[in-house]
Amino acid sequence: MLTNAAVKAARPRAAAYKIADERGLHLFVAPNGRRSFRWRFRVDGREQLLTFGTWPEISLADARAQCDAAREVHARGGDPRANMHRGDANTHGHGAECMTLEAIGRRWHAHMLPRWTPVHAGDVLASLERDVFLAIGAMPIRAITAPVVLTALRSVEGRGRLETARRVRQRISGIFAFAMSEGLVDSDPAAIVGRALVPPPPKRNHAALLEVDDARGLLAAAELLDAAPMIKLASRYLALTSVRLAGVRGATWAEIEDLDGAVPIWRVPAARMKLAAAKKRDPKNDHVVPLARQAVAVLRAAGENGYDTRSPDALIFAGPGGAAIGEAAIGELYKRTSFAGRHVPHGWRATFSTLMNEAGKFDRLLIERALAHAPKDKVAAAYDRSQQLLQLRTLFQEWADTIDPAAIDL
């Protein structure tokens, strides 16, 4: 258990660390020396984190008292995050002043969950925990100013993550919009920070290998690297199916049909596709990918390596603890090969389109259908509605045999 002496003596390290108290309460020590009292608990099976405040503004005894109160709320079936530091939403009283950016940020995240896919929700929370909560999350939300937000984002830019900094700013702005709607703050300091950020470089086409030998070489080179098996399997599955990266990261076993039968397919729900909101709600817009023999082999290998093998709702390509593999994991894998800079994960779609069109064996519209591209005319739309599963199966098997002709040990 924690003691006052231990809290006072806690010193920063290169990486953040925790000192446990009891029943989930712990002292979190950030690399910048900030010490905050936090409590881990679960809501609807999901682990949550509640920050009570920073030391010495809040003492160990106060943190324990607040944690006991939060446990009582949780035991009654309530959400402690919605009850901590509420105060009077229509005043600027002490309760509102005490609410931290992290506490409000987690409430905003919970509020947005029904609108997001699990993978996107995980990415949003991970970016906030890494780039926002650790730096300024313990500050009262009313104390956050535009320069404070900018300083946090400059740290992200300093790592060369210009696009990440832009997305994080949008997420901070979302938190403040949520807080404004509840009367907790009067303005959004993140709204004006965008103009002070380094502009991202002009968008370019995704780097893609356009020669068969290069595509085969990249897959073979990635297999030889010392990396987590699930990342290598996800890389191969991405190449074989030519679906967008988010589709592969969020794939669940429930989406796989007839894996051990004669006509295995991967049915990507419309809700997870890059579609207009109205189309996402219509199952007729599900994207059906007939699985080549090589793709089936990848799935079987993933099942053997999985953390929650074949559980319908479990992610197929899961990292430790069952969470999705990192958004940049496959890209980082490719950077370690001799093809660094010449191919990115999204590039497999261009590789597929280029090589299959150049082969001259398949109709252009069929190739577009395989990539889930929306038809641009009524004739194409009619062609698309027919699904053409038999032709698509032939196409994907031809593609798999083109880039993965040898029986590579997965």
Side-chain angles (χ1 to χ4, degrees), residues 2-46:
L2 278 169
T3 63
N4 289 322
V7 173
K8 185 176 181 180
R11 294 291 180 267
R13 301 175 185 171
Y17 67 98
K18 298 179 295 184
I19 305 176
D21 187 52
E22 59 177 352
R23 294 186 291 170
L25 180 65
H26 60 271
L27 180 72
F28 180 87
V29 185
N32 62 6
R34 180 179 288 113
R35 284 159 279 187
S36 55
F37 293 102
R38 301 181 175 188
W39 176 51
R40 290 191 179 278
F41 63 102
R42 288 186 176 274
V43 173
D44 296 330
R46 295 175 178 269

Side-chain angles (χ1 to χ4, degrees), residues 223-402:
E223 290 293 335
L224 297 176
L225 294 175
D226 181 14
M230 277 303 186
I231 296 176
K232 293 195 285 188
L233 289 169
S235 162
R236 186 169 291 274
Y237 192 71
L238 180 70
L240 291 167
T241 59
S242 296
V243 170
R244 290 180 174 86
L245 177 60
V248 172
R249 293 180 63 229
T252 67
W253 289 110
E255 297 170 3
I256 306 300
E257 301 175 14
D258 200 30
L259 179 61
D260 300 315
V263 286
I265 65 171
W266 175 24
R267 187 180 300 276
V268 187
R272 294 207 307 108
M273 295 295 295
K274 188 177 180 181
L275 296 169
K279 291 186 176 182
K280 283 178 176 286
R281 294 190 290 268
D282 190 345
K284 289 190 295 186
N285 294 314
D286 291 352
H287 179 45
V288 178
V289 182
L291 297 172
R293 292 186 299 273
Q294 293 89 331
V296 169
V298 170
L299 291 176
R300 287 174 176 159
E304 294 172 0
N305 285 274
Y307 291 89
D308 195 4
T309 305
R310 300 288 183 95
S311 174
D313 295 329
L315 294 174
I316 297 173
F317 303 104
I325 61 171
E327 190 174 8
I330 297 177
E332 293 299 323
L333 188 72
Y334 294 165
K335 289 178 182 178
R336 295 168 55 196
T337 71
S338 60
F339 297 92
R342 298 177 56 195
H343 193 87
V344 296
H346 193 81
W348 283 117
R349 293 170 61 78
T351 306
F352 170 82
S353 178
T354 300
L355 296 183
M356 290 296 94
N357 274 297
E358 287 181 350
K361 297 181 181 180
F362 301 95
D363 188 278
R364 176 183 61 82
L365 293 177
L366 185 70
I367 295 172
E368 291 297 301
R369 168 70 183 87
L371 291 169
H373 285 162
K376 293 180 174 58
D377 56 56
K378 293 182 179 180
V379 174
Y383 184 93
D384 183 66
R385 282 197 300 271
S386 71
Q387 295 287 313
Q388 301 292 327
L389 281 179
L390 181 59
Q391 291 92 329
L392 284 170
R393 187 169 298 281
T394 302
L395 169 62
F396 274 108
Q397 189 59 59
E398 176 79 13
W399 165 243
D401 292 341
T402 297

